[in-house]
Amino acid sequence: CLQMRVDMLALVLRASPRRGAHASGASVRLLPGKEPWRRCFSGRSSRRGRTQAIEGEASETTRSAGVATKVATSGASDAAGAPGGPGNVGTAATNGVGPPALFALPLYRKPAFPGFYQIMQVSEQEVLNFLLELRKKGQNDFLGGFMTKEQPGKQMDPDGEPTVPPSPAGDRGAGSASAHAHTQGLRRDAGRVATAAELEEVGTMLRVVSITPYESINGGQVVVMPQKRVRRTQVVSEASPHVPLPFVHVDYLPDPEVIEAQRKDVNALRLEIIATMKELLKTSFLYKEQYEQVIKFYDLEDPAKLADFAAGMSLAKRADLQAVLEENDILTRLNKVLMITKGDLEFARIQSKVKSQVEEKVAKDQKRMMLMEQMKQIKKELGHEKDEKQSLITQFQEAIKDKVLPEEAAKVIESELQRLSTLEPSFSEFNVSRTYLEWLTCLPWGQFDVENKDIAKAEQILNEDHYGLEDVKERILEHMAVSFLKDSVQGKIMCLVGPPGVGKTSIGKSIARSLDRKFYRFSVGGMHDVAELRGHRRTYIGAMPGKLIQALKVLQTSNPVVLIDEIDKLGRDYRGDPSSAFLEILDPEQNGAFRDHYLDVPVDLSGVLFVCTANTTDTIPGPLLDRMEVIRIAGYVYEEKVAIANQYLIPQTADASGVGTDRLHLHEQALSKMISDYAREAGVRHLRQLLEKVSRKVALSLVRKKPASDEETSSDMVAEKTEITVDNLTQYIGQPMHFSEQLYAMGKTPPGVVVGLAWTSMGGATLSVEARGRVPRSWEARGGIGMEDLAPRPDGWGQSSASDSKPGSGGTGGFMKITGQLGNVMSESSAISLTYARVFVRELDPMNMFLDEAHVHLNVPEGATPKDGPSAGVTMCSALVSLALNRPLRPNLAMTGELTLTGKVLKVGGIKEKVIAARREGIKTLILPKHNEADYSELKEYLRAGLTAHFVDHFDDVYRLAFDEEEVGALPFKPRGMPVVSVSTPLAPSFHDSGPRPLSDGSGAPAGEGEAPSLPDGGGGTS
């Protein structure tokens, strides 16, 4: 209360002219007495009483200010001729002594132009209260309307509510009231500012007509009549918490006069503005409404009033309107108004265009909707169309009419149809039930395709698509025979295991074509989510059945061929284990009542022929592998690749590239070199890529070639055939990518080196096992047998030099170092081999203590490739024995087998892959375990052609077959194993001419012609 009295007193003193002490004394004597002070600081008064006391004090102070102003300006007349009397605060009056003073009302949206009433929304309650109080006392006839330099924007408080700019001096109550008013959606036309510097210099004198507060929210409406332009000259007082509007001195701006030289231009601009406004009235309804309300009070013949009228109606930018308000030259003002009006016209045209487009679209949609509703009602009246819900139910019933449904599925469908009939189409459950019924009714319940029963036709189809693969073809024919005899559709689970590129996926398509069944393929490589197989629960949004139910829906048959690709690459994580879901799907005893999580009814999968593919069975869980019939595809040998290339790959690639077989000829020698030096993998995928590369280069050369003369036509150029020979093969596919895996030419290895056979996921391979050793000098000093005391090695292999005989660590007892990135199994095999080799060498020669004392290094080359498996024991032991005896093995010999501590040779796997690898490297003699004789006998004859295989049961027979007994001496005891069985298969004539060159040794004699080692008498061998 005290602060408000001080502020008002200071305002009055600044507003009145200084005439000595009388005026000041008069102002001081007008201060209120003691009674208001007691009302302000009374602690026992209520809050409402305190508010009334403050309002009363403010009124008293305002009256005092009015008296002071009257005293200061006594005898002055109203220079502007404005009504309201010269003595009130806020009245634009002057007596020639000082300029008039007005309260400055900030305008936010646009400036006020003289001439017609304007309604302003004031959202700040404290500003509205101040104006009401002044009007109540009869002291606010006039205000100064000045537009703010920057339009206040919305701000967000920490609670997310929009706020207005903060009030001066931190008036917390006023700020909260303004924020509340703003949240109610008021248009903020006027309000308050912190300082008068935020206002423009030029404004308008406003006569307040009426003030109407809002009842339910803060703020209200203020109706004003702008009268004339004013310029702010001096700030008398800034806004304070109790006086929200600044008090400023102003000067009146005179109306512009039209000089005679500008009259024509002014008249032309006036007419152009009027024409533009008429066009604007035709385009915009908003302008037309405002025009009709204001035109009756305006004289359009006056250029200044016309400019104010057009600018006041415009929706142009604040800065452009302020520029019109400030402009005092009539010609320039009219130009600016014309530009603003033209911009409004263009905006109105765009708005009208958009409006017409929207109305046209809405009218079209409404018309179509109305016609559809009418047509629906007409059809319903005529009985041509039933209700949408009833139509759906009828459709579902028709879908299952001819199907043989299981009892449980029929009950579920009937129950769901009854539920659907009780739901409204607008309910969300209606669409869920509808989708569920669509899946239930679209499945092929009891529908089976008729299988092909012509065995000869099926065999012909299988042979057309694939060369070889007799195991797979025979198994499919057996399946057809069983189905024919039982006169029923049979399902089965088969798993094709083999290296990449051997045709596992394509054989699935051939199986479906030979059986006249439909084919569906999906890959499970990297699959983690069980829901992809068993479906989602219907409680989830976007739920759908699994892959198998989707396959039945797509194929519309209950006995398709489903190919599950890459089953050995299943994933497993927190979402589940898909391999566990396959335990039911791939079990013939369980998949007859497979339950999908989405359908939740039993579905019969027993008629489905499942074909799975995998590169290896190591990563397939044991229970899942036990449910599948595994068919291994080892890969293709040279002869098979030649046949596949001639029958399938070359015609396919030539036609695919547009060259054709009539313009491309690949010589047999070039094809042989391509297979042996470029495409040595187990499959034919890389061979196909090489042939495609050749075809593309041939096509490019044909297109680039131009006719040599005018007589030569393009058809003659295209008809020219390209010859691919051994000499120009590198021009098409580059240099050879593969060379022989054998480290030594002619198959002759030095002492300590043995060729072994290995199985990999990419097919078979040959591995050379190397063993080297040295004897410590301390052992030689004791008179032991040193390296130089052993028999000289042939051809200078392994001759020690001074640098090889470095001092050892001394002492007795040797050790063995192993390199080559071997796994745990091969490391254990090397330890067993060393133990048995020491015993075996001492049995041959009790004086040979080389392995007992020497430092031995055992290595398997290509250390970057991990190696592991239980089939290298015999090979490692032979390398150690060869090193100890200082004698090499027979040439062109390879072996495989696991060894025990007692010298027994155990059975191994991958015989077919190992035999193919041996043929690829031109090896003629194989030493295999005795128990693998049956596996070798099952191989096709062309795979065994030119090979001699010895099946041994004990390492004694390995020694007799691998070493030349004339050099190392015969066994001093009788062999301890079962009799050796030798199988020699002669080279077929058809393969003798076209087979790979490595199958012949340096003398040119083909394998199988008496080159196999023979057992000495008493060996018990059979051939």
Side-chain angles (χ1 to χ4, degrees):
C1 182
L2 177 63
Q3 181 64 38
M4 184 176 68
R5 295 177 60 188
V6 173
D7 291 342
M8 292 300 298
L9 179 60
L11 184 149
V12 171
L13 292 177
R14 286 195 299 268
S16 57
R18 296 185 178 275
R19 291 191 175 185
H22 176 73
S24 300
S27 299
V28 172
R29 285 194 301 271
L30 290 175
L31 289 174
K34 297 181 180 180
E35 183 64 22
W37 285 74
R38 286 195 298 270
R39 289 199 303 269
C40 289
F41 295 97
S42 176
R44 289 175 292 180
S45 61
S46 63
R47 183 175 182 181
R48 183 173 182 180
R50 289 196 300 270
T51 303
Q52 293 175 351
I54 294 173
E55 292 178 352
E57 196 71 24
S59 301
E60 185 175 354
T61 307
T62 304
R63 287 194 298 269
S64 300
V67 173
T69 305
K70 186 174 181 179
V71 172
T73 59
S74 59
S77 61
D78 187 5
N88 295 332
V89 175
T91 301
T94 180
N95 58 356
V97 178
L102 298 171
F103 283 107
L105 179 65
L107 306 180
Y108 293 154
R109 297 177 61 246
K110 58 187 296 187
F113 288 91
F116 54 91
Y117 291 95
Q118 291 190 9
I119 300 176
M120 296 184 180
Q121 306 284 353
V122 179
S123 58
E124 283 80 356
Q125 186 64 35
E126 62 273 15
V127 175
L128 192 68
N129 292 338
F130 182 75
L131 295 179
L132 286 171
E133 186 65 27
L134 292 181
R135 185 173 180 81
K136 183 178 179 182
K137 304 302 180 181
Q139 300 172 354
N140 74 325
D141 291 340
F142 292 92
L143 297 173
F146 296 91
M147 191 179 70
T148 58
K149 295 180 179 179
E150 299 291 337
Q151 184 175 8
K154 293 182 180 180
Q155 300 176 356
M156 302 300 294
D157 62 8
D159 296 331
E161 297 293 337
T163 63
V164 296
S167 59
D171 188 2
R172 185 171 302 177
S176 60
S178 299
H180 178 71
H182 192 70
T183 57
Q184 301 298 324
L186 280 177
R187 187 183 73 239
R188 303 181 63 217
D189 295 332
R192 64 184 299 172
V193 291
T195 62
E198 300 180 16
L199 304 177
E200 297 284 353
E201 295 292 334
V202 177
T204 312
M205 185 176 67
L206 309 176
R207 183 170 64 86
V208 180
V209 178
S210 65
I211 302 176
T212 307
Y214 294 124
E215 295 182 359
S216 58
I217 58 176
N218 293 333
Q221 287 186 354
V222 179
V223 180
V224 298
M225 169 61 79
Q227 291 196 345
K228 63 186 311 177
R229 289 171 171 80
V230 294
R231 183 184 301 275
R232 176 168 55 89
T233 59
Q234 181 182 358
V235 178
V236 178
S237 66
E238 296 285 358
S240 66
H242 306 289
V243 182
L245 300 181
F247 199 55
V248 298
H249 282 302
V250 297
D251 286 341
Y252 298 122
L253 297 180
D255 293 335
E257 297 181 359
V258 181
I259 60 178
E260 192 64 28
Q262 297 178 341
R263 190 169 300 278
K264 292 185 178 179
D265 294 338
V266 169
N267 192 35
L269 288 173
R270 182 181 65 83
L271 295 177
E272 182 64 23
I273 292 174
I274 293 175
T276 306
M277 291 183 65
K278 290 181 179 181
E279 185 71 22
L280 189 60
L281 295 177
K282 297 177 183 178
T283 308
S284 175
F285 175 79
L286 178 63
Y287 281 94
K288 182 178 180 182
E289 184 180 6
Q290 294 183 4
Y291 181 84
E292 291 177 350
Q293 292 178 359
V294 180
I295 190 62
K296 60 184 68 175
F297 305 107
Y298 250 82
D299 181 13
L300 299 183
E301 297 297 329
D302 188 349
K305 292 185 178 181
L306 175 64
D308 291 342
F309 172 59
M313 292 177 55
S314 176
L315 299 177
K317 296 180 181 180
R318 300 169 73 250
D320 297 339
L321 296 178
Q322 181 66 24
V324 173
L325 184 67
E326 295 177 356
E327 184 58 50
N328 198 36
D329 182 68
I330 187 62
L331 190 62
T332 307
R333 183 186 295 180
L334 289 175
N335 275 302
K336 291 182 178 181
V337 171
L338 179 61
M339 296 301 297
I340 290 176
T341 310
K342 292 287 186 182
D344 290 342
L345 177 60
E346 186 65 25
F347 176 76
R349 287 174 177 173
I350 297 175
Q351 188 178 19
S352 177
K353 180 180 179 182
V354 173
K355 179 181 176 182
S356 61
Q357 291 176 351
V358 173
E359 289 179 349
E360 181 181 358
K361 184 177 184 303
V362 172
K364 184 178 179 181
D365 294 341
Q366 289 179 347
K367 179 181 178 181
R368 184 177 183 277
M369 184 177 63
M370 184 177 62
L371 292 177
M372 291 294 294
E373 290 295 329
Q374 292 178 355
M375 184 174 64
K376 187 182 297 184
Q377 293 297 327
I378 292 172
K379 287 185 176 181
K380 184 181 291 186
E381 292 292 334
L382 296 176
H384 293 169
E385 182 178 341
K386 298 181 180 179
D387 184 68
E388 179 183 359
K389 182 166 53 177
Q390 187 61 35
S391 300
L392 280 176
I393 296 176
T394 305
Q395 179 182 351
F396 291 143
Q397 291 175 346
E398 290 291 332
I400 61 176
K401 182 175 61 175
D402 298 330
K403 297 179 180 179
V404 182
L405 274 75
E407 181 180 358
E408 184 177 350
K411 291 182 179 179
V412 171
I413 292 177
E414 184 65 25
S415 174
E416 200 67 26
L417 286 175
Q418 293 179 1
R419 179 172 179 266
L420 184 68
S421 63
T422 61
L423 296 174
E424 291 296 329
S426 59
F427 292 174
S428 59
E429 291 84 357
F430 183 85
N431 290 328
V432 175
S433 180
R434 174 180 177 176
T435 306
Y436 181 51
L437 283 171
E438 287 177 351
W439 277 102
L440 283 175
T441 56
C442 72
L443 292 181
W445 301 102
Q447 296 180 349
F448 297 89
D449 290 339
V450 179
E451 279 193 356
N452 173 35
K453 298 182 179 180
D454 190 349
I455 301 294
K457 178 183 176 182
E459 189 172 5
Q460 179 183 359
I461 292 174
L462 293 173
N463 291 331
E464 287 177 357
D465 295 343
H466 292 82
Y467 180 86
L469 303 180
E470 282 78 9
D471 297 341
V472 182
K473 296 176 181 178
E474 187 176 358
R475 182 64 188 86
I476 298 304
L477 298 179
E478 292 172 358
H479 174 81
M480 295 180 60
V482 172
S483 300
F484 178 76
L485 294 177
K486 294 187 66 175
D487 196 18
S488 63
V489 177
Q490 301 293 322
K492 203 65 180 175
I493 297 95
M494 293 184 290
C495 182
L496 307 178
V497 181
V502 296
K504 300 186 297 298
T505 303
S506 60
I507 195 65
K509 299 179 181 178
S510 298
I511 292 173
R513 197 161 71 91
S514 63
L515 296 176
D516 284 345
R517 290 195 185 189
K518 295 180 180 178
F519 179 76
Y520 187 86
R521 171 193 172 272
F522 69 95
S523 177
V524 296
M527 179 185 292
H528 294 79
D529 195 355
V530 178
E532 295 190 37
L533 297 175
R534 303 194 66 112
H536 305 84
R537 305 283 183 184
R538 291 200 307 276
T539 55
Y540 297 111
I541 298 176
M544 60 186 305
K547 286 287 187 181
L548 298 175
I549 302 300
Q550 296 178 29
L552 296 181
K553 177 187 176 182
V554 171
L555 301 179
Q556 286 298 304
T557 180
S558 296
N559 62 331
V561 176
V562 176
L563 178 68
I564 304 175
D565 214 355
E566 308 294 349
I567 198 171
D568 58 327
K569 300 175 180 62
L570 282 171
R572 182 178 183 180
D573 61 2
Y574 65 93
R575 288 169 288 187
D577 183 8
S579 62
S580 300
F582 274 119
L583 293 179
E584 178 187 1
I585 297 172
L586 301 181
D587 191 345
E589 302 297 329
Q590 301 182 38
N591 61 11
F594 171 72
R595 281 185 179 270
D596 186 87
H597 286 165
Y598 182 82
L599 299 181
D600 200 21
V601 295
V603 180
D604 186 9
L605 299 179
S606 60
V608 179
L609 176 58
F610 290 100
V611 180
C612 305
T613 66
N615 296 125
T616 179
T617 58
D618 296 340
T619 56
I620 302 177
L624 179 59
L625 187 64
D626 183 63
R627 286 164 166 78
M628 299 185 292
E629 181 180 352
V630 178
I631 301 176
R632 297 188 179 275
I633 305 177
Y636 302 106
V637 294
Y638 169 83
E639 292 79 12
E640 292 175 327
K641 289 185 178 181
V642 171
I644 292 172
N646 290 324
Q647 297 180 24
Y648 304 99
L649 301 182
I650 294 178
Q652 292 175 4
T653 55
D655 294 339
S657 62
V659 176
T661 56
D662 55 340
R663 285 172 287 185
L664 172 63
H665 178 62
L666 182 63
H667 289 201
E668 293 184 4
Q669 295 81 1
L671 179 61
S672 176
K673 183 177 179 60
M674 185 184 298
I675 294 173
S676 59
D677 294 348
Y678 293 85
R680 303 185 63 181
E681 75 283 355
V684 293
R685 183 172 295 159
H686 188 56
L687 179 60
R688 172 188 285 274
Q689 294 173 358
L690 292 173
L691 293 173
E692 290 175 349
K693 188 175 183 180
V694 171
S695 300
R696 291 195 302 267
K697 289 190 176 295
V698 171
L700 180 61
S701 63
L702 291 176
V703 173
R704 282 179 173 175
K705 185 177 294 185
K706 297 180 181 179
S709 60
D710 296 340
E711 291 79 8
E712 185 179 359
T713 62
S714 59
S715 60
D716 298 332
M717 179 267 295
V718 174
E720 182 181 352
K721 179 174 289 189
T722 303
E723 301 288 339
I724 309 298
T725 63
V726 178
D727 298 332
N728 63 359
L729 182 63
T730 55
Q731 300 177 6
Y732 293 91
I733 58 177
Q735 297 299 322
M737 303 173 59
H738 300 283
F739 298 95
S740 176
E741 294 177 354
Q742 297 194 52
L743 300 179
Y744 302 95
M746 309 292 291
K748 297 179 180 180
T749 58
V753 179
V754 181
V755 178
L757 299 176
W759 177 92
T760 65
S761 60
M762 303 296 292
T766 60
L767 294 176
S768 296
V769 178
E770 302 174 326
R772 291 297 300 268
R774 62 183 182 86
V775 179
R777 293 185 179 273
S778 59
W779 188 70
E780 298 177 9
R782 295 197 304 267
I785 300 176
M787 294 288 288
E788 65 279 357
D789 296 328
L790 298 176
R793 302 181 180 183
D795 300 334
W797 278 332
Q799 296 295 335
S800 324
S801 62
S803 60
D804 294 329
S805 302
K806 296 181 180 179
S809 59
T812 60
F815 66 89
M816 183 171 66
K817 180 180 180 181
I818 304 171
T819 56
Q821 200 173 349
L822 307 184
N824 295 332
V825 178
M826 289 191 70
S827 299
E828 293 179 358
S829 297
S830 64
I832 295 172
S833 300
L834 177 62
T835 301
Y836 183 77
R838 287 172 175 172
V839 175
F840 186 77
V841 171
R842 292 292 296 273
E843 289 177 346
L844 294 178
D845 185 4
M847 299 301 296
N848 191 336
M849 299 177 62
F850 178 79
L851 294 178
D852 296 313
E853 299 292 341
H855 296 173
V856 180
H857 186 175
L858 186 69
N859 177 57
V860 181
E862 298 183 9
T865 304
K867 309 171 190 67
D868 201 7
S871 61
V874 172
T875 308
M876 293 180 176
C877 187
S878 299
L880 294 173
V881 172
S882 174
L883 175 65
L885 300 179
N886 198 20
R887 291 294 182 268
L889 275 68
R890 296 178 184 270
N892 291 326
L893 181 141
M895 61 184 68
T896 183
E898 184 60 6
L899 188 67
T900 67
L901 284 175
T902 58
K904 296 290 289 184
V905 180
L906 304 181
K907 182 181 179 180
V908 295
I911 293 299
K912 184 175 181 180
E913 290 85 352
K914 294 175 180 180
V915 170
I916 292 175
R919 283 180 54 83
R920 186 172 62 239
E921 298 300 329
I923 296 174
K924 299 182 296 182
T925 306
L926 305 178
I927 298 178
L928 306 175
K930 176 72 174 180
H931 297 289
N932 288 112
E933 182 181 357
D935 299 330
Y936 185 81
S937 301
E938 291 179 356
L939 299 179
K940 300 300 179 182
E941 187 174 353
Y942 67 86
L943 293 176
R944 297 182 280 113
L947 298 178
T948 299
H950 302 284
F951 300 94
V952 298
D953 180 63
H954 198 274
F955 187 79
D956 295 346
D957 298 321
V958 176
Y959 170 79
R960 295 163 56 219
L961 293 167
F963 294 93
D964 188 354
E965 294 188 351
E966 295 181 357
E967 297 182 2
V968 298
L971 280 174
F973 46 82
K974 186 178 180 179
R976 288 163 283 191
M978 298 174 61
V980 177
V981 176
S982 300
V983 178
S984 181
T985 306
L987 188 64
S990 59
F991 294 151
H992 181 74
D993 298 332
S994 60
R997 293 300 178 184
L999 291 181
S1000 300
D1001 58 13
S1003 61
E1009 297 184 1
E1011 291 297 328
S1014 59
L1015 292 175
D1017 295 338
T1022 60
S1023 177

